[in-house]
Amino acid sequence: MIKFTTIFVIGIFYLTHPWHIGSQSIKTPDNNSESYAIEITKVRGSIEWETLNFELEISLKWNNSPELAYQMPQVGRNFLDSQKKTIITNFAKRVPYTQGMSVMDYATKNNIALVFLRFVYDEALTIHSIPTKNLMGFTEIIRIPIAESFRRVLLPQYETLSIPTVLNPSKNANRYTSLVFFLAESMPHDGSDLYYIPKLFPTVYSEQGTLVYSPRYVDEEKVPYKYIEAPDSSMLGAAPRIVYAVNLDSDFSGDPIILKEDAQEILSNDSLRQHIKMGNVFFWVHSTDATFALRGDND
């Protein structure tokens, strides 16, 4: 029976780009009796914000003596399976849930970490497994449906809120087909640029501090929102209401702030209130830089 020992090479999880999660290295040492080593050379996580899927790209390689060549693919597979929970947990600590709080922070705070992780492990799906050219390793792509874990595990921890009304309602009775919050790549704030970082629990405030949008306003069975990189009439309809963010709520790239007039219209327009309840809300993150994307960049 082949045995292996795992050594975790401690590395720093870093955000090299707003949409990139980080990298990690895990290695097994050469075993004196069987003379082989297995190494996870790359773990790269990214979030497809448009679909709310979390993807992990894991690359693994090994070296071994000729007599073990036929056993190593299965040994490598067993090794990767033994590490998946740790890898997924580590990256869940990097997925932003709200300002200053990761998904794991939130789950731990609300005593649902085990329930959340069990759901994530069960729903994790391997969508690609590609062997290296020399057949001494492979790369695996794992997809985790964040939207489902968000809706079924995380969001129910909040009580649903009623959308507030305004004292001086807008007289605009237009019937809109969707609600879109437009966010530029960066926004000026106190002399410096702030960058918006998507999160699973986005909120929108007025200049006066009124909570205009929150996933807590949305009916329980609906996915509360979608992130988009460009308008699409098939998704937004013929008459979307596009609201421009004018600032972010803190010095740490927090949630968007909109004008008082826009907030009044959203909170008093029947069609917009209904779109919020039904989850027909979009966050349009715009960029003039082609390398800036809702999909994770390369290292």
Side-chain angles (χ1 to χ4, degrees):
M1 179 179 179
I2 297 177
K3 299 179 181 180
F4 49 78
T5 304
T6 303
I7 294 179
F8 286 90
V9 179
I10 304 300
I12 299 175
F13 285 94
Y14 53 89
L15 291 174
T16 60
H17 185 282
W19 322 116
H20 182 60
I21 303 298
S23 297
Q24 179 185 27
S25 180
I26 307 169
K27 188 175 182 180
T28 58
D30 286 334
N31 183 302
N32 292 330
S33 59
E34 278 98 7
S35 185
Y36 72 88
I38 303 175
E39 182 180 0
I40 292 180
T41 58
K42 180 174 73 170
V43 180
R44 179 178 177 273
S46 61
I47 301 174
E48 289 182 333
W49 287 106
E50 292 179 287
T51 58
L52 285 184
N53 281 318
F54 180 37
E55 284 194 2
L56 285 172
E57 178 183 344
I58 306 172
S59 296
L60 180 147
K61 69 177 183 179
W62 56 78
N63 58 61
N64 59 274
S65 56
E67 61 268 20
L68 294 174
Y70 293 106
Q71 299 181 55
M72 289 310 298
Q74 186 58 52
V75 173
R77 169 63 52 198
N78 293 343
F79 173 66
L80 178 56
D81 288 344
S82 73
Q83 304 304 321
K84 277 184 181 178
K85 287 188 177 182
T86 299
I87 293 170
I88 291 172
T89 301
N90 284 339
F91 278 102
K93 295 176 181 177
R94 305 300 298 171
V95 178
Y97 186 64
T98 59
Q99 178 61 27
M101 180 179 291
S102 72
V103 169
M104 281 303 299
D105 291 336
Y106 173 78
T108 301
K109 179 180 177 181
N110 289 275
N111 299 315
I112 58 169
L114 292 178
V115 174
F116 168 70
L117 290 174
R118 188 179 303 117
F119 180 90
V120 169
Y121 300 150
D122 290 345
E123 295 297 317
L125 177 66
T126 298
I127 58 174
H128 294 295
S129 187
I130 307 166
T132 59
K133 291 182 179 180
N134 62 4
L135 302 180
M136 298 289 285
F138 57 83
T139 294
E140 184 161 299
I141 307 295
I142 300 172
R143 177 174 294 166
I144 302 168
I146 299 177
E148 280 299 297
S149 65
F150 177 63
R151 182 176 67 81
R152 292 170 54 182
V153 181
L154 301 174
L155 190 60
Q157 300 303 308
Y158 286 99
E159 293 182 6
T160 302
L161 293 178
S162 298
I163 302 173
T165 55
V166 294
L167 296 177
N168 299 307
S170 167
K171 296 181 180 179
N172 187 344
N174 290 346
R175 302 296 298 178
Y176 297 106
T177 54
S178 59
L179 174 59
V180 182
F181 293 108
F182 178 94
L183 299 117
E185 175 181 349
S186 64
M187 284 171 275
H189 179 80
D190 295 336
S192 61
D193 286 345
L194 290 182
Y195 292 84
Y196 178 72
I197 298 177
K199 60 206 72 177
L200 288 184
F201 199 90
T203 54
V204 177
Y205 290 88
S206 72
E207 294 173 298
Q208 286 68 39
T210 301
L211 182 58
V212 178
Y213 170 81
S214 167
R216 296 176 68 183
Y217 293 160
V218 183
D219 289 348
E220 288 184 3
E221 294 303 312
K222 305 296 182 181
V223 175
Y225 59 86
K226 295 181 181 69
Y227 284 100
I228 59 173
E229 287 186 282
D232 182 346
S233 59
S234 64
M235 184 182 298
L236 307 182
R241 176 61 169 96
I242 300 177
V243 179
Y244 292 84
V246 295
N247 210 332
L248 299 175
D249 70 352
S250 75
D251 292 333
F252 303 101
S253 301
D255 289 310
I257 295 173
I258 62 175
L259 293 173
K260 175 183 177 182
E261 294 77 10
D262 290 331
Q264 287 180 325
E265 180 182 1
I266 292 171
L267 297 178
S268 59
N269 182 284
D270 288 340
S271 66
L272 293 177
R273 292 173 65 90
Q274 185 64 18
H275 286 313
I276 291 176
K277 289 186 65 177
M278 299 302 292
N280 196 24
V281 174
F282 301 85
F283 287 82
W284 175 8
V285 183
H286 175 72
S287 172
T288 57
D289 182 352
T291 66
F292 185 90
L294 292 176
R295 188 73 167 82
D297 283 339
N298 291 330
D299 293 348

